[in-house]
Amino acid sequence: MEAEKMTMVLAPVWGWPVAVAVCTVMAALAAAVVIRHVRGARHAEVTDETVGAVIRRAAMCLVVALLALTPSTASTVSTTAVRGMDVVVAVDVTGSMGVSDARYGSSARVSRLSAAKSAVRDITSLYPDSSFAAIRFGSTASLDVPLTPDVLALTNWADTLSVEPTSTSAGSSLDTPLDRILLTLRSIRSAHAHDVIVLYLVTDGEQTSSTTRRTYSSLRAYLDDAFVLGTGSATGGRIPVVSSGASASSGTSTNAWVTDPTTGKPGISKMDVATLKAIADEMGGTSMVMGPTTTARNAVTSETSSSWRTLSDTTRRRRTTAVVWPLAAVLTLLLAIELGEWIRTSRRLL
């Protein structure tokens, strides 16, 4: 909030019609006091009214008139409200995310989950002074980090991500996180109606479940922008068997590969670019495949990077503050003097 230079104005509390009426009456009374005293002096009337008393009583009338006009200070106040940015990140941790065929900002091959972790760290740097929520999904989906402005909470969460154990995996179903994301977005929109909400879905796009994937279009009502970040490659790679315990927590394999039941050979997981694009289209967002020269830092629209992060609403309004205490103090002093003179005169006449 910023206030400009103040000026003195008249802002009658009861409105101008009442103020003008009071001023007219008080001015007439002040004039009557003076005229009566002058006429009495001309006709040599005997009176104990002094010139000081006349001035004092006329002054009281004029002070009351000024009080009716209500002198005030006026200033133009500019209030700027900055819209908040809420970023929801959903990361795939199914078994196929353990395939080491991804590249992220370099030609070195890394696991798809490692690329996803790097993407999460870059996403936090794209949105300073924002709030974040994090969801992981595999055979089930969970909200691991509720909406928080604590960036460290999100990066620490990314560091702890691991591929779910093969024994608990039930195949990849890309609509697994849909209900959890929907509930999270609905909650954020309810609590922060004017915030900008952006969703990042990081996955390889592979769907191995026999059930038909549900559409992501239900999320459109709560999103201002959405990005589907693909990790992996079109050629694909073998899926490591991840056991529970230490290997699962680190995302490494036991040097064994998941077998394709139809061929009896190690299964090959491939990134599905078409599915990534379809999900992004359903949300009204953008899909992008991360690679040697493409990272999450490239996954931001010009509107998100500039306008939305700095979007503010500036309101200018005029504020007036009544300044009547000096007049009230003067009027009190004059009334006290008048009362003192009246008491002194009354005692003298007794």
Side-chain angles (χ1 to χ4, degrees):
M1 182 180 293
E2 181 181 353
E4 298 178 357
K5 184 178 179 180
M6 293 187 297
T7 57
M8 292 298 299
V9 297
L10 297 177
V13 176
W14 298 297
W16 280 102
V18 174
V20 171
V22 172
C23 287
T24 301
V25 172
M26 290 296 104
L29 290 175
V33 170
V34 175
I35 292 172
R36 185 174 64 84
H37 180 77
V38 172
R39 286 181 176 177
R42 287 180 179 177
H43 294 84
E45 293 181 359
V46 178
T47 177
D48 61 352
E49 186 179 52
T50 63
V51 174
V54 173
I55 295 175
R56 184 173 61 250
R57 291 162 186 169
M60 284 191 290
C61 294
L62 296 178
V63 169
V64 172
L66 286 175
L67 285 172
L69 293 174
T70 317
S72 307
T73 58
S75 61
T76 302
V77 180
S78 298
T79 304
T80 302
V82 180
R83 292 177 66 180
M85 173 75 76
D86 301 322
V87 182
V88 179
V89 181
V91 177
D92 186 351
V93 294
T94 54
S96 61
M97 291 294 286
V99 177
S100 297
D101 65 338
R103 292 180 174 86
Y104 191 85
S106 71
S107 58
R109 289 181 180 271
V110 296
S111 71
R112 297 173 183 177
L113 186 61
S114 294
K117 292 180 179 182
S118 298
V120 172
R121 298 186 193 98
D122 283 345
I123 289 170
T124 59
S125 66
L126 288 173
Y127 302 98
D129 303 321
S130 299
S131 296
F132 299 89
I135 297 171
R136 80 168 75 198
F137 64 95
S139 55
T140 60
S142 63
L143 176 64
D144 292 345
V145 181
L147 190 68
T148 174
D150 186 1
V151 175
L152 189 60
L154 196 73
T155 55
N156 287 342
W157 169 80
D159 292 338
T160 63
L161 286 175
S162 61
V163 177
E164 66 179 1
T166 305
S167 59
T168 64
S169 180
S172 299
S173 180
L174 289 177
D175 62 4
T176 298
L178 184 57
D179 293 335
R180 176 55 59 188
I181 294 174
L182 181 62
L183 290 173
T184 301
L185 296 179
R186 184 181 297 169
S187 175
I188 293 173
R189 181 61 75 196
S190 176
H192 309 281
H194 302 291
D195 281 10
V196 173
I197 303 178
V198 180
L199 171 66
Y200 280 88
L201 180 67
V202 188
T203 179
D204 55 19
E206 187 177 44
Q207 170 93 9
T208 59
S209 174
S210 58
T211 59
T212 302
R213 178 181 64 82
R214 291 177 293 163
T215 178
Y216 275 69
S217 58
S218 58
L219 304 183
R220 280 196 178 206
Y222 305 99
L223 290 172
D224 294 287
D225 208 352
F227 299 92
V228 180
L229 306 184
T231 177
S233 66
T235 56
R238 293 181 296 179
I239 307 170
V241 173
V242 178
S243 62
S244 59
S247 60
S249 64
S250 61
T252 59
S253 70
T254 58
N255 296 320
W257 311 103
V258 175
T259 303
D260 186 340
T262 60
T263 64
K265 296 180 179 180
I268 301 298
S269 171
K270 299 180 180 180
M271 179 179 59
D272 191 337
V273 178
T275 299
L276 297 175
K277 186 178 186 304
I279 294 176
D281 289 342
E282 290 164 7
M283 295 188 294
T286 306
S287 65
M288 189 196 76
V289 176
M290 298 182 292
T293 59
T294 307
T295 66
R297 291 181 177 274
N298 304 110
V300 58
T301 62
S302 58
E303 292 83 359
T304 304
S305 62
S306 57
S307 299
W308 285 351
R309 279 195 292 169
T310 59
L311 185 61
S312 60
D313 182 17
T314 301
T315 303
R316 296 173 65 87
R317 59 186 178 86
R318 186 179 177 86
R319 182 173 65 182
T320 58
T321 304
V323 185
V324 296
W325 66 265
L327 294 175
V330 171
L331 182 60
T332 301
L333 178 62
L334 292 175
L335 288 173
I337 296 174
E338 183 71 18
L339 179 61
E341 289 295 321
W342 179 81
I343 294 174
R344 187 177 62 85
T345 303
S346 298
R347 287 182 175 180
R348 189 182 60 185
L349 293 176
L350 289 177

